[in-house]
Amino acid sequence: EAGVTQSPTHLIKTRGQQATLRCSPISGHTSVYWYQQALGLGLQFLLWYDEGEERNRGNFPPRFSGRQFPNYSSELNVNALELEDSALYLCASSLAEGLVQETQYFGPGTRLLVL
Amino acid sequence: AQSVTQLGSHVSVSEGALVLLRCNYSSSVPPYLFWYVQYPNQGLQLLLKYTSAATLVKGINGFEAEFKKSETSFHLTKPSAHMSDAAEYFCAVSDLDDYKLSFGAGTTVTVRA
């Protein structure tokens, strides 16, 4: 069974540009989570989507946004990029909402570098 | 909101020695607890999770963790370190009514031959 996949693996942008990161969950998983792993800041929760709806977001500005498609894949968009947005962005998926103890399975991440 | 504290940002052990990684959580209500491992340039892999079924949780690759409510701890151990255990380890917690994971700062393990 295929795991969580993310694309691209690396992304280089300049300040002020927009970045789009993509995630495909494990087949059968309807929840998708996004996390940011920035140097010195650790792993921080960004966004959670389930059944096409945004369920929760972390303490990030509105220029971080995303969506979930009918096939449960997800996109993370970062507008007006800043240097401090350089980080590894990890996507995770899990089974349906309501089963809190369900494990989140992580993808390999997209490394975003903002110059 | 839940939080976890990992004591020690770096642990160095000899091959064959005990690996002990410490994690303490903040809540008085036992949450869900997880240990993940991250190898260089990779995503996170689940080692084990605590969901109140048993206080001693066995995971993959010979790791186990014991949930101690009185100490609000969930320390990770492995009796005998292997070179392949060199990685970064993260303790994480989620609330009973929340689905996001809150991670500790991570502990980097190096294994000496």
Side-chain angles (χ1 to χ4, degrees), chain A residues 41-112:
Chain A
L41 295 177
L43 276 153
Q44 297 184 78
F45 167 74
L46 255 170
L47 288 160
W48 168 36
Y49 291 95
D50 184 72
E51 295 287 355
E53 300 287 330
E54 183 182 300
R55 301 296 188 185
N56 199 359
R57 68 178 292 129
N59 188 25
F60 283 84
R63 58 191 186 82
F64 285 84
S65 65
R67 54 181 171 166
Q68 187 178 32
F69 299 99
N71 67 353
Y72 303 114
S73 67
S74 177
E75 212 172 70
L76 174 68
N77 294 294
V78 188
N79 294 319
L81 284 165
E82 300 180 2
L83 296 179
E84 52 265 35
D85 296 333
S86 295
L88 180 67
Y89 289 84
L90 293 168
C91 173
S93 74
S94 73
L95 290 171
E97 175 189 355
L99 302 173
V100 181
Q101 66 271 32
E102 287 300 327
T103 300
Q104 292 182 27
Y105 294 89
F106 284 79
T110 292
R111 191 164 295 281
L112 173 64

Side-chain angles (χ1 to χ4, degrees), chain B residues 51-78:
Chain B
T51 57
S52 77
T55 56
L56 183 62
V57 183
K58 294 188 182 297
I60 62 171
N61 302 339
F63 285 94
E64 64 181 35
E66 186 172 8
F67 174 78
K68 291 187 176 180
K69 184 179 177 181
S70 61
E71 300 177 6
T72 59
S73 69
F74 190 58
H75 301 331
L76 181 71
T77 59
K78 181 174 181 177

Side-chain angles (χ1 to χ4, degrees), chain A residues 33 35 37 42-45 48 56-58 88 90 97-109 111, chain B residues 32 34 36 38 41-46 49-51 88 90 94-105:
Chain A
Y33 309 79
Y35 293 86
Q37 187 175 25
L43 276 153
Q44 297 184 78
F45 167 74
W48 168 36
N56 199 359
R57 68 178 292 129
L88 180 67
L90 293 168
E97 175 189 355
L99 302 173
V100 181
Q101 66 271 32
E102 287 300 327
T103 300
Q104 292 182 27
Y105 294 89
F106 284 79
R111 191 164 295 281
Chain B
Y32 295 109
F34 307 80
Y36 283 88
Q38 186 177 34
N41 300 313
Q42 294 186 29
L44 301 176
Q45 180 182 7
L46 179 74
K49 63 181 180 183
Y50 168 77
T51 57
E88 190 162 19
F90 293 93
S94 69
D95 279 324
L96 300 182
D97 58 353
D98 196 351
Y99 304 99
K100 69 176 189 285
L101 293 174
S102 297
F103 288 89

Side-chain angles (χ1 to χ4, degrees), chain A residues 23-41:
Chain A
C23 172
S24 291
I26 291 171
S27 177
H29 287 189
T30 62
S31 278
V32 169
Y33 309 79
W34 288 95
Y35 293 86
Q36 182 198 64
Q37 187 175 25
L39 205 60
L41 295 177

